[in-house]
Amino acid sequence: MIKLLSVAILAGFCFASNRAAPPTAGCWTGWFDRDNPSGTGDWELLINLWTEYPGQICAKPWRFQAVTTDTNTPYTQAGDVIHIHNAWQGFACRNQDQRSGMCRDYKIRFLCPCT
């Protein structure tokens, strides 16, 4: 039993260490701010950004950054509860999740392969 458990742990470690992390080198897009939090929140979703800014964001971004539009505070330090925050969907802050009832206004950019 112990031998079987050891093999399983070793296999899991090898699998995890062989997965490629997203690259850190690439080219950042410009900043995008397509929505304001005055409605249901601040929705900076990749699918909408592709439509509004055709050809300016790659098909599979590696990373993203989101900051407030007024002070460039990273979203992780702005104090809002964030609904979506990843490179494959984009960013969304819902007003309903905030104690104050209103999200801050954010902008987003993506790390893509350089062309």
Coordinates of all heavy atoms in Angstrom, one line a residue, residues 9-107:
I9 N 2.2 9.5 -5.7 CA 2.7 10.8 -5.4 C 3.8 11.2 -6.4 O 3.8 12.3 -6.9 CB 3.2 10.9 -3.9 CG1 2.0 10.7 -3.0 CG2 4.0 12.1 -3.6 CD1 2.4 10.5 -1.5
L10 N 4.7 10.3 -6.7 CA 5.8 10.6 -7.6 C 5.2 10.9 -9.0 O 5.6 11.9 -9.6 CB 6.8 9.5 -7.7 CG 8.0 9.6 -8.6 CD1 8.8 10.9 -8.2 CD2 8.8 8.4 -8.6
A11 N 4.2 10.2 -9.4 CA 3.6 10.4 -10.7 C 3.0 11.8 -10.8 O 3.1 12.5 -11.8 CB 2.6 9.3 -11.1
G12 N 2.3 12.1 -9.7 CA 1.6 13.4 -9.6 C 2.6 14.6 -9.7 O 2.5 15.6 -10.3
F13 N 3.7 14.4 -9.0 CA 4.8 15.4 -9.0 C 5.4 15.6 -10.4 O 5.6 16.7 -10.8 CB 5.9 15.0 -8.0 CG 7.1 16.0 -8.0 CD1 6.9 17.2 -7.4 CD2 8.2 15.6 -8.6 CE1 8.0 18.1 -7.5 CE2 9.3 16.5 -8.6 CZ 9.2 17.8 -8.1
C14 N 5.7 14.5 -11.0 CA 6.3 14.5 -12.4 C 5.3 15.2 -13.3 O 5.7 16.0 -14.1 CB 6.6 13.2 -12.9 SG 8.0 12.4 -12.0
F15 N 4.0 14.9 -13.2 CA 3.0 15.5 -14.1 C 3.0 17.0 -13.9 O 3.0 17.8 -14.8 CB 1.6 14.9 -13.9 CG 0.5 15.5 -14.7 CD1 0.4 15.3 -16.0 CD2 -0.4 16.4 -14.1 CE1 -0.6 15.9 -16.8 CE2 -1.4 17.0 -14.8 CZ -1.4 16.8 -16.2
A16 N 2.9 17.4 -12.6 CA 2.8 18.8 -12.3 C 4.1 19.6 -12.7 O 4.0 20.7 -13.2 CB 2.6 19.0 -10.8
S17 N 5.2 19.0 -12.6 CA 6.5 19.7 -13.0 C 6.7 19.8 -14.5 O 7.4 20.6 -15.0 CB 7.7 19.1 -12.3 OG 7.8 17.8 -12.8
N18 N 6.0 18.9 -15.2 CA 6.1 18.9 -16.7 C 5.1 19.8 -17.4 O 5.2 20.1 -18.6 CB 6.0 17.5 -17.3 CG 7.2 16.7 -17.0 OD1 8.3 17.2 -16.9 ND2 7.1 15.4 -16.8
R19 N 4.1 20.3 -16.7 CA 3.2 21.2 -17.3 C 3.9 22.6 -17.5 O 4.6 23.1 -16.6 CB 2.0 21.4 -16.4 CG 0.9 20.4 -16.6 CD -0.3 20.8 -15.8 NE 0.0 20.9 -14.4 CZ -0.8 21.1 -13.5 NH1 -2.1 21.3 -13.7 NH2 -0.5 21.2 -12.2
A20 N 3.7 23.1 -18.7 CA 4.3 24.4 -19.0 C 3.5 25.5 -18.4 O 2.3 25.6 -18.5 CB 4.4 24.5 -20.5
A21 N 4.3 26.4 -17.7 CA 3.7 27.6 -17.2 C 3.5 28.6 -18.3 O 4.3 28.6 -19.3 CB 4.5 28.2 -16.1
P22 N 2.6 29.5 -18.2 CA 2.5 30.5 -19.3 C 3.8 31.3 -19.4 O 4.4 31.6 -18.3 CB 1.3 31.4 -18.8 CG 0.5 30.6 -17.9 CD 1.5 29.6 -17.3
P23 N 4.2 31.7 -20.6 CA 5.4 32.4 -20.7 C 5.3 33.8 -20.0 O 4.2 34.4 -19.9 CB 5.6 32.6 -22.2 CG 4.7 31.6 -22.8 CD 3.6 31.3 -21.8
T24 N 6.4 34.3 -19.6 CA 6.5 35.6 -19.0 C 7.0 36.7 -20.0 O 6.8 37.8 -19.8 CB 7.3 35.7 -17.7 OG1 8.6 35.2 -18.1 CG2 6.7 34.9 -16.6
A25 N 7.7 36.2 -21.1 CA 8.2 37.1 -22.1 C 7.1 37.1 -23.2 O 6.6 36.1 -23.6 CB 9.5 36.6 -22.6
G26 N 6.9 38.2 -23.8 CA 5.9 38.4 -24.9 C 5.7 39.9 -25.1 O 6.6 40.7 -24.7
C27 N 4.6 40.2 -25.6 CA 4.3 41.6 -25.9 C 3.0 42.0 -25.2 O 2.0 41.3 -25.4 CB 4.3 41.9 -27.4 SG 5.9 41.8 -28.2
W28 N 3.0 43.0 -24.4 CA 1.7 43.5 -23.8 C 0.9 44.3 -24.8 O 1.5 45.1 -25.6 CB 2.0 44.3 -22.6 CG 2.5 43.5 -21.4 CD1 3.8 43.4 -21.0 CD2 1.7 42.8 -20.5 NE1 3.8 42.6 -19.9 CE2 2.5 42.2 -19.6 CE3 0.3 42.5 -20.4 CZ2 2.1 41.4 -18.5 CZ3 -0.2 41.7 -19.4 CH2 0.7 41.1 -18.5
T29 N -0.4 44.1 -24.8 CA -1.3 44.9 -25.6 C -1.3 46.3 -24.9 O -0.8 46.5 -23.8 CB -2.7 44.4 -25.7 OG1 -3.3 44.4 -24.3 CG2 -2.7 42.9 -26.2
G30 N -2.0 47.2 -25.6 CA -2.4 48.5 -24.9 C -3.5 48.2 -23.9 O -4.0 47.1 -23.7
W31 N -3.8 49.2 -23.1 CA -4.9 49.1 -22.1 C -6.2 49.3 -22.7 O -6.4 50.1 -23.6 CB -4.7 50.2 -21.0 CG -3.5 49.9 -20.2 CD1 -2.3 50.5 -20.3 CD2 -3.4 49.0 -19.1 NE1 -1.4 50.0 -19.3 CE2 -2.1 49.1 -18.6 CE3 -4.3 48.1 -18.5 CZ2 -1.6 48.3 -17.5 CZ3 -3.9 47.4 -17.4 CH2 -2.6 47.5 -16.9
F32 N -7.2 48.5 -22.3 CA -8.6 48.6 -22.8 C -9.5 48.8 -21.6 O -9.4 48.2 -20.5 CB -9.0 47.2 -23.4 CG -8.1 46.9 -24.6 CD1 -7.0 46.0 -24.4 CD2 -8.3 47.4 -25.8 CE1 -6.2 45.6 -25.5 CE2 -7.5 47.1 -26.9 CZ -6.4 46.2 -26.7
D33 N -10.5 49.8 -21.8 CA -11.5 50.1 -20.8 C -12.8 50.3 -21.6 O -13.1 51.4 -22.0 CB -11.1 51.4 -20.1 CG -12.1 51.8 -19.1 OD1 -12.9 51.0 -18.6 OD2 -12.2 53.0 -18.7
R34 N -13.5 49.2 -21.8 CA -14.7 49.3 -22.6 C -16.0 49.5 -21.8 O -17.0 49.8 -22.4 CB -14.9 48.0 -23.5 CG -15.0 46.8 -22.7 CD -15.7 45.6 -23.5 NE -17.0 45.9 -23.8 CZ -18.1 45.8 -23.0 NH1 -17.9 45.4 -21.8 NH2 -19.3 46.1 -23.4
D35 N -15.9 49.4 -20.5 CA -17.2 49.4 -19.7 C -16.9 50.3 -18.5 O -15.7 50.5 -18.1 CB -17.6 48.0 -19.3 CG -19.0 48.0 -18.7 OD1 -19.8 48.8 -19.1 OD2 -19.2 47.1 -17.9
N36 N -18.0 50.8 -17.9 CA -17.9 51.6 -16.7 C -18.8 50.8 -15.7 O -19.8 50.2 -16.1 CB -18.4 53.0 -16.9 CG -17.4 53.8 -17.7 OD1 -16.2 53.7 -17.6 ND2 -17.9 54.5 -18.7
P37 N -18.6 51.0 -14.4 CA -19.3 50.2 -13.4 C -20.7 50.8 -13.1 O -21.4 50.4 -12.2 CB -18.4 50.3 -12.1 CG -17.6 51.6 -12.3 CD -17.4 51.7 -13.8
S38 N -21.2 51.7 -13.9 CA -22.5 52.4 -13.6 C -23.7 51.4 -13.8 O -24.7 51.7 -13.2 CB -22.7 53.6 -14.5 OG -22.5 53.3 -15.8
G39 N -23.6 50.4 -14.6 CA -24.7 49.4 -14.7 C -24.6 48.3 -13.7 O -24.8 48.6 -12.5
T40 N -24.3 47.1 -14.1 CA -24.3 46.0 -13.2 C -22.9 45.7 -12.6 O -22.7 44.9 -11.8 CB -24.8 44.7 -13.8 OG1 -24.0 44.4 -15.0 CG2 -26.3 44.8 -14.3
G41 N -21.9 46.5 -13.2 CA -20.5 46.3 -12.8 C -19.6 46.7 -13.9 O -20.0 47.4 -14.8
D42 N -18.3 46.4 -13.8 CA -17.3 46.7 -14.8 C -16.9 45.4 -15.5 O -16.3 44.5 -14.9 CB -16.1 47.3 -14.1 CG -15.2 48.0 -15.1 OD1 -15.7 48.3 -16.3 OD2 -14.0 48.2 -14.8
W43 N -17.4 45.3 -16.7 CA -17.2 44.1 -17.5 C -16.2 44.3 -18.6 O -16.5 44.9 -19.6 CB -18.5 43.6 -18.1 CG -19.5 43.4 -17.0 CD1 -20.4 44.3 -16.5 CD2 -19.8 42.1 -16.4 NE1 -21.2 43.7 -15.5 CE2 -20.8 42.3 -15.4 CE3 -19.3 40.8 -16.6 CZ2 -21.3 41.3 -14.6 CZ3 -19.8 39.8 -15.8 CH2 -20.8 40.1 -14.8
E44 N -15.0 43.8 -18.4 CA -13.9 43.9 -19.4 C -13.6 42.5 -19.9 O -12.5 42.0 -19.7 CB -12.6 44.6 -18.8 CG -12.9 45.9 -18.0 CD -13.3 47.0 -18.9 OE1 -13.1 46.9 -20.2 OE2 -13.9 48.0 -18.4
L45 N -14.6 41.9 -20.5 CA -14.5 40.5 -21.0 C -13.8 40.4 -22.3 O -14.1 41.2 -23.3 CB -15.9 39.9 -21.1 CG -16.6 39.8 -19.7 CD1 -18.0 39.2 -19.9 CD2 -15.8 39.0 -18.7
L46 N -13.0 39.4 -22.5 CA -12.2 39.2 -23.7 C -13.1 39.1 -24.9 O -12.7 39.7 -26.0 CB -11.3 38.0 -23.5 CG -10.2 37.8 -24.6 CD1 -9.3 39.0 -24.8 CD2 -9.4 36.5 -24.2
I47 N -14.1 38.4 -24.8 CA -15.0 38.2 -26.0 C -15.6 39.6 -26.5 O -15.6 39.8 -27.7 CB -16.2 37.2 -25.7 CG1 -16.8 36.9 -27.0 CG2 -17.1 37.8 -24.7 CD1 -17.3 35.5 -27.1
N48 N -15.9 40.5 -25.6 CA -16.3 41.8 -26.0 C -15.2 42.7 -26.5 O -15.4 43.5 -27.5 CB -17.0 42.5 -24.8 CG -18.2 41.8 -24.3 OD1 -18.2 41.4 -23.1 ND2 -19.2 41.5 -25.1
L49 N -14.0 42.5 -25.9 CA -12.9 43.3 -26.3 C -12.4 42.9 -27.8 O -12.1 43.8 -28.6 CB -11.7 43.2 -25.4 CG -12.0 43.8 -24.0 CD1 -10.9 43.3 -23.0 CD2 -12.0 45.3 -24.1
W50 N -12.5 41.6 -28.1 CA -12.2 41.2 -29.4 C -13.1 41.9 -30.4 O -12.7 42.2 -31.5 CB -12.3 39.7 -29.6 CG -11.2 38.9 -29.1 CD1 -9.8 39.2 -29.0 CD2 -11.3 37.5 -28.5 NE1 -9.1 38.2 -28.5 CE2 -10.0 37.1 -28.2 CE3 -12.3 36.7 -28.3 CZ2 -9.7 35.9 -27.6 CZ3 -12.1 35.4 -27.7 CH2 -10.8 35.1 -27.4
T51 N -14.4 42.0 -30.1 CA -15.3 42.6 -31.0 C -15.1 44.1 -31.2 O -15.1 44.6 -32.3 CB -16.8 42.3 -30.5 OG1 -17.0 40.9 -30.4 CG2 -17.8 43.0 -31.4
E52 N -14.9 44.7 -30.1 CA -14.7 46.2 -30.1 C -13.3 46.7 -30.6 O -13.2 47.8 -31.0 CB -15.0 46.8 -28.7 CG -16.5 46.6 -28.4 CD -16.9 47.3 -27.1 OE1 -16.3 48.4 -26.8 OE2 -17.8 46.8 -26.4
Y53 N -12.3 45.8 -30.4 CA -11.0 46.1 -30.8 C -10.4 45.0 -31.7 O -9.4 44.3 -31.3 CB -10.1 46.4 -29.6 CG -10.6 47.4 -28.7 CD1 -11.4 47.1 -27.5 CD2 -10.3 48.8 -28.9 CE1 -11.9 48.1 -26.7 CE2 -10.8 49.8 -28.1 CZ -11.6 49.4 -27.0 OH -12.1 50.4 -26.1
P54 N -11.0 44.8 -32.9 CA -10.5 43.7 -33.7 C -9.0 43.7 -34.1 O -8.5 44.8 -34.4 CB -11.4 43.8 -35.0 CG -12.0 45.1 -34.9 CD -12.0 45.6 -33.5
G55 N -8.4 42.6 -33.9 CA -7.0 42.5 -34.3 C -6.0 43.0 -33.3 O -4.8 43.0 -33.5
Q56 N -6.5 43.6 -32.2 CA -5.6 44.2 -31.2 C -5.2 43.2 -30.0 O -4.3 43.6 -29.2 CB -6.2 45.5 -30.7 CG -6.3 46.5 -31.7 CD -6.8 47.8 -31.2 OE1 -6.3 48.3 -30.1 NE2 -7.7 48.5 -31.9
I57 N -5.9 42.1 -29.9 CA -5.7 41.2 -28.8 C -5.6 39.8 -29.5 O -6.4 39.4 -30.2 CB -6.8 41.2 -27.8 CG1 -7.0 42.6 -27.2 CG2 -6.4 40.2 -26.6 CD1 -8.2 42.7 -26.4
C58 N -4.5 39.0 -29.1 CA -4.3 37.7 -29.7 C -5.5 36.7 -29.3 O -6.2 37.0 -28.4 CB -3.0 37.1 -29.3 SG -2.8 36.9 -27.5
A59 N -5.5 35.6 -30.0 CA -6.6 34.6 -29.8 C -6.5 33.9 -28.4 O -7.4 33.5 -27.8 CB -6.6 33.6 -30.9
K60 N -5.2 33.7 -27.9 CA -5.0 33.0 -26.7 C -4.0 33.7 -25.8 O -2.8 33.4 -25.8 CB -4.5 31.6 -27.0 CG -5.5 30.7 -27.7 CD -5.0 29.3 -27.9 CE -6.1 28.5 -28.6 NZ -5.6 27.1 -28.9
P61 N -4.4 34.8 -25.1 CA -3.5 35.5 -24.3 C -2.9 34.6 -23.2 O -3.5 33.7 -22.7 CB -4.4 36.6 -23.6 CG -5.6 36.7 -24.5 CD -5.8 35.4 -25.1
W62 N -1.6 34.9 -22.8 CA -1.0 34.1 -21.8 C -1.3 34.7 -20.4 O -1.4 33.9 -19.5 CB 0.5 34.2 -22.0 CG 1.0 33.5 -23.3 CD1 0.4 32.4 -23.9 CD2 2.1 33.9 -24.1 NE1 1.1 32.1 -25.0 CE2 2.2 33.0 -25.2 CE3 3.1 34.9 -24.0 CZ2 3.2 33.1 -26.1 CZ3 4.1 34.9 -24.9 CH2 4.1 34.0 -26.0
R63 N -1.3 35.9 -20.2 CA -1.5 36.6 -18.9 C -2.3 37.8 -19.1 O -2.6 38.3 -20.2 CB -0.2 36.9 -18.3 CG 0.7 35.8 -18.0 CD 2.0 36.2 -17.2 NE 2.9 35.2 -17.1 CZ 2.9 34.2 -16.1 NH1 1.9 34.2 -15.3 NH2 3.8 33.3 -16.0
F64 N -2.8 38.4 -18.0 CA -3.5 39.7 -18.1 C -3.1 40.5 -16.9 O -2.5 40.0 -15.9 CB -5.0 39.4 -18.1 CG -5.5 39.2 -16.7 CD1 -6.2 40.3 -16.0 CD2 -5.4 38.0 -16.0 CE1 -6.7 40.1 -14.7 CE2 -5.9 37.8 -14.7 CZ -6.5 38.9 -14.1
Q65 N -3.3 41.8 -17.0 CA -3.2 42.7 -15.9 C -4.4 43.6 -15.9 O -4.9 44.0 -16.9 CB -2.0 43.6 -16.0 CG -0.7 42.9 -15.9 CD 0.5 43.9 -16.0 OE1 0.4 44.9 -16.7 NE2 1.7 43.5 -15.4
A66 N -5.0 43.9 -14.7 CA -6.1 44.8 -14.6 C -5.8 45.7 -13.4 O -5.4 45.3 -12.3 CB -7.4 44.0 -14.3
V67 N -6.0 47.0 -13.7 CA -5.8 48.1 -12.7 C -6.9 49.1 -12.8 O -7.7 49.1 -13.7 CB -4.4 48.8 -13.0 CG1 -3.2 47.9 -12.9 CG2 -4.4 49.5 -14.3
T68 N -7.0 49.9 -11.7 CA -8.1 50.9 -11.7 C -7.7 52.0 -12.7 O -6.5 52.3 -12.9 CB -8.2 51.5 -10.3 OG1 -7.0 52.1 -9.9 CG2 -8.7 50.5 -9.3
T69 N -8.7 52.6 -13.2 CA -8.4 53.7 -14.3 C -7.9 55.0 -13.6 O -7.2 55.7 -14.3 CB -9.7 54.0 -15.1 OG1 -10.7 54.4 -14.2 CG2 -10.1 52.7 -15.9
D70 N -8.3 55.2 -12.4 CA -7.9 56.5 -11.8 C -6.5 56.5 -11.1 O -5.8 57.5 -11.3 CB -9.0 56.9 -10.7 CG -9.2 55.9 -9.6 OD1 -8.7 54.8 -9.7 OD2 -9.9 56.3 -8.7
T71 N -6.1 55.4 -10.5 CA -4.8 55.4 -9.8 C -3.9 54.3 -10.2 O -2.8 54.2 -9.6 CB -5.1 55.3 -8.3 OG1 -5.7 54.0 -8.0 CG2 -5.9 56.4 -7.7
N72 N -4.3 53.5 -11.2 CA -3.5 52.3 -11.7 C -3.2 51.3 -10.5 O -2.2 50.7 -10.5 CB -2.2 52.8 -12.3 CG -2.5 53.4 -13.7 OD1 -3.4 53.0 -14.4 ND2 -1.7 54.5 -14.0
T73 N -4.1 51.2 -9.6 CA -4.0 50.3 -8.5 C -4.3 48.9 -9.0 O -5.4 48.7 -9.6 CB -5.0 50.6 -7.3 OG1 -4.7 51.9 -6.9 CG2 -4.8 49.6 -6.2
P74 N -3.4 47.9 -8.8 CA -3.8 46.5 -9.3 C -5.1 46.0 -8.7 O -5.4 46.3 -7.5 CB -2.6 45.7 -8.8 CG -1.4 46.7 -8.7 CD -2.1 48.0 -8.2
Y75 N -5.8 45.3 -9.4 CA -7.1 44.8 -8.9 C -7.0 44.0 -7.6 O -7.9 44.0 -6.8 CB -7.9 44.0 -10.0 CG -7.4 42.6 -10.2 CD1 -8.0 41.5 -9.5 CD2 -6.3 42.3 -11.0 CE1 -7.6 40.2 -9.6 CE2 -5.9 41.0 -11.1 CZ -6.5 40.0 -10.5 OH -6.0 38.7 -10.6
T76 N -5.9 43.4 -7.4 CA -5.7 42.6 -6.2 C -5.5 43.4 -5.0 O -5.7 43.0 -3.9 CB -4.5 41.7 -6.3 OG1 -3.3 42.5 -6.7 CG2 -4.7 40.6 -7.4
Q77 N -5.3 44.7 -5.2 CA -5.1 45.7 -4.1 C -6.2 46.7 -4.0 O -6.1 47.6 -3.1 CB -3.7 46.3 -4.2 CG -2.6 45.4 -4.2 CD -1.3 46.0 -4.5 OE1 -1.1 47.2 -4.5 NE2 -0.2 45.2 -4.8
A78 N -7.2 46.7 -4.9 CA -8.2 47.7 -4.9 C -9.3 47.6 -3.9 O -10.1 48.5 -3.7 CB -8.7 47.8 -6.4
G79 N -9.5 46.4 -3.4 CA -10.5 46.1 -2.4 C -11.8 45.6 -2.9 O -12.7 45.4 -2.1
D80 N -12.0 45.5 -4.2 CA -13.3 44.9 -4.7 C -13.2 43.4 -4.7 O -12.2 42.8 -4.8 CB -13.5 45.4 -6.1 CG -13.9 46.9 -6.2 OD1 -14.5 47.4 -5.2 OD2 -13.7 47.5 -7.3
V81 N -14.4 42.8 -4.6 CA -14.6 41.4 -4.8 C -14.7 41.2 -6.3 O -15.6 41.8 -7.0 CB -15.8 40.9 -4.1 CG1 -16.1 39.4 -4.4 CG2 -15.7 41.1 -2.6
I82 N -13.8 40.4 -6.9 CA -13.8 40.3 -8.4 C -14.4 39.0 -8.8 O -14.2 37.9 -8.2 CB -12.3 40.3 -8.9 CG1 -11.6 41.6 -8.4 CG2 -12.3 40.2 -10.4 CD1 -12.4 42.9 -8.8
H83 N -15.3 39.0 -9.8 CA -16.1 37.9 -10.2 C -15.3 37.0 -11.2 O -15.3 35.8 -11.1 CB -17.4 38.4 -10.9 CG -18.3 37.4 -11.4 ND1 -18.8 36.4 -10.6 CD2 -18.7 37.1 -12.7 CE1 -19.6 35.6 -11.4 NE2 -19.5 36.0 -12.6
I84 N -14.6 37.7 -12.2 CA -13.8 37.0 -13.2 C -12.5 37.7 -13.3 O -12.4 38.9 -13.4 CB -14.5 37.0 -14.6 CG1 -15.8 36.2 -14.6 CG2 -13.6 36.4 -15.7 CD1 -16.7 36.3 -15.8
H85 N -11.4 36.9 -13.3 CA -10.1 37.5 -13.5 C -9.1 36.4 -14.0 O -8.5 35.7 -13.3 CB -9.6 38.1 -12.2 CG -9.6 37.2 -11.0 ND1 -8.5 36.4 -10.6 CD2 -10.6 36.8 -10.2 CE1 -8.8 35.7 -9.5 NE2 -10.1 35.9 -9.3
N86 N -9.1 36.3 -15.3 CA -8.1 35.3 -15.9 C -7.9 35.8 -17.4 O -8.6 36.6 -18.0 CB -8.6 33.9 -15.8 CG -10.0 33.7 -16.5 OD1 -10.1 33.9 -17.7 ND2 -11.0 33.3 -15.7
A87 N -6.8 35.2 -18.0 CA -6.4 35.6 -19.3 C -7.3 35.1 -20.4 O -7.3 35.6 -21.5 CB -5.0 35.1 -19.6
W88 N -8.1 34.0 -20.2 CA -8.9 33.4 -21.2 C -10.3 34.0 -21.2 O -11.0 33.8 -22.2 CB -8.9 31.9 -21.2 CG -9.3 31.3 -19.9 CD1 -10.6 30.9 -19.6 CD2 -8.5 31.1 -18.7 NE1 -10.6 30.5 -18.3 CE2 -9.4 30.5 -17.8 CE3 -7.2 31.2 -18.5 CZ2 -8.9 30.2 -16.5 CZ3 -6.7 30.9 -17.2 CH2 -7.6 30.3 -16.3
Q89 N -10.7 34.7 -20.2 CA -12.1 35.3 -20.1 C -12.0 36.8 -20.0 O -12.8 37.5 -20.5 CB -12.9 34.8 -19.0 CG -13.3 33.4 -19.1 CD -14.1 32.9 -17.9 OE1 -13.5 32.8 -16.8 NE2 -15.4 32.7 -18.0
G90 N -11.0 37.3 -19.3 CA -10.8 38.7 -19.1 C -11.1 39.1 -17.6 O -10.7 38.3 -16.7
F91 N -11.9 40.1 -17.4 CA -12.1 40.6 -16.1 C -13.5 41.1 -15.9 O -14.1 41.8 -16.8 CB -11.1 41.8 -15.9 CG -11.1 42.4 -14.6 CD1 -10.3 41.9 -13.5 CD2 -11.9 43.5 -14.3 CE1 -10.3 42.5 -12.3 CE2 -11.9 44.1 -13.0 CZ -11.2 43.6 -12.0
A92 N -14.1 40.9 -14.7 CA -15.4 41.4 -14.4 C -15.5 41.6 -12.9 O -15.2 40.7 -12.1 CB -16.5 40.4 -14.9
C93 N -16.1 42.7 -12.6 CA -16.4 43.1 -11.2 C -17.9 43.4 -11.2 O -18.4 44.2 -11.9 CB -15.6 44.3 -10.8 SG -15.9 44.9 -9.1
R94 N -18.6 42.7 -10.3 CA -20.1 42.9 -10.2 C -20.4 43.8 -9.0 O -20.0 43.6 -7.9 CB -20.8 41.5 -10.0 CG -20.6 40.6 -11.2 CD -21.4 39.3 -11.1 NE -21.2 38.7 -9.8 CZ -21.8 37.5 -9.4 NH1 -22.5 36.9 -10.3 NH2 -21.6 37.0 -8.3
N95 N -21.2 44.8 -9.3 CA -21.6 45.7 -8.2 C -22.3 45.0 -7.1 O -22.1 45.3 -5.9 CB -22.6 46.8 -8.8 CG -21.8 47.8 -9.7 OD1 -20.6 47.9 -9.6 ND2 -22.6 48.4 -10.6
Q96 N -23.1 43.9 -7.4 CA -23.9 43.2 -6.4 C -22.9 42.5 -5.4 O -23.4 42.2 -4.3 CB -24.8 42.2 -7.0 CG -24.0 41.0 -7.6 CD -24.9 40.0 -8.3 OE1 -25.9 40.4 -8.9 NE2 -24.6 38.7 -8.3
D97 N -21.7 42.3 -5.7 CA -20.7 41.6 -4.8 C -20.0 42.6 -3.9 O -19.3 42.2 -3.0 CB -19.7 40.9 -5.6 CG -20.3 39.8 -6.4 OD1 -21.3 39.3 -6.1 OD2 -19.6 39.4 -7.4
Q98 N -20.2 43.9 -4.1 CA -19.5 44.9 -3.3 C -20.2 45.4 -2.1 O -21.4 45.7 -2.2 CB -19.1 46.1 -4.2 CG -18.5 45.7 -5.5 CD -17.4 44.7 -5.5 OE1 -16.5 44.8 -4.6 NE2 -17.5 43.7 -6.3
R99 N -19.6 45.6 -1.0 CA -20.2 46.1 0.2 C -20.7 47.5 -0.1 O -21.8 47.9 0.4 CB -19.2 46.1 1.3 CG -19.8 46.7 2.6 CD -18.8 46.6 3.8 NE -18.7 45.2 4.1 CZ -17.9 44.7 5.0 NH1 -17.0 45.5 5.6 NH2 -17.8 43.4 5.3
S100 N -20.0 48.3 -0.8 CA -20.4 49.7 -1.2 C -21.5 49.7 -2.2 O -22.1 50.7 -2.5 CB -19.2 50.5 -1.6 OG -18.8 50.0 -2.9
G101 N -21.7 48.6 -2.9 CA -22.7 48.5 -4.0 C -22.2 48.9 -5.4 O -22.9 48.9 -6.3
M102 N -20.9 49.3 -5.4 CA -20.3 49.8 -6.7 C -18.9 49.4 -6.8 O -18.1 49.6 -5.9 CB -20.4 51.3 -6.8 CG -19.9 51.9 -8.1 SD -21.0 51.7 -9.5 CE -22.3 52.8 -9.1
C103 N -18.5 48.8 -8.0 CA -17.1 48.5 -8.3 C -16.4 49.8 -8.7 O -17.0 50.8 -9.1 CB -17.1 47.6 -9.5 SG -17.8 46.0 -9.3
R104 N -15.1 49.7 -8.6 CA -14.2 50.7 -9.2 C -14.2 50.5 -10.7 O -14.6 49.5 -11.2 CB -12.9 50.7 -8.6 CG -13.0 50.9 -7.0 CD -11.8 51.2 -6.3 NE -10.9 52.2 -6.9 CZ -9.7 52.4 -6.5 NH1 -9.2 51.7 -5.5 NH2 -8.9 53.3 -7.1
D105 N -13.7 51.5 -11.4 CA -13.6 51.4 -12.9 C -12.2 50.8 -13.2 O -11.2 51.3 -12.6 CB -13.7 52.7 -13.5 CG -13.9 52.7 -15.0 OD1 -14.1 51.6 -15.6 OD2 -13.7 53.7 -15.7
Y106 N -12.1 49.8 -14.0 CA -10.9 49.1 -14.3 C -10.6 49.1 -15.8 O -11.4 49.3 -16.6 CB -11.0 47.6 -13.9 CG -11.1 47.4 -12.4 CD1 -12.3 47.3 -11.7 CD2 -9.9 47.2 -11.6 CE1 -12.4 47.2 -10.4 CE2 -10.0 47.1 -10.2 CZ -11.2 47.0 -9.6 OH -11.3 46.9 -8.3
K107 N -9.3 48.9 -16.1 CA -8.8 48.7 -17.4 C -8.0 47.5 -17.4 O -7.5 47.0 -16.4 CB -8.0 49.9 -18.0 CG -6.8 50.3 -17.1 CD -6.2 51.6 -17.6 CE -5.0 52.0 -16.7 NZ -4.4 53.3 -17.2

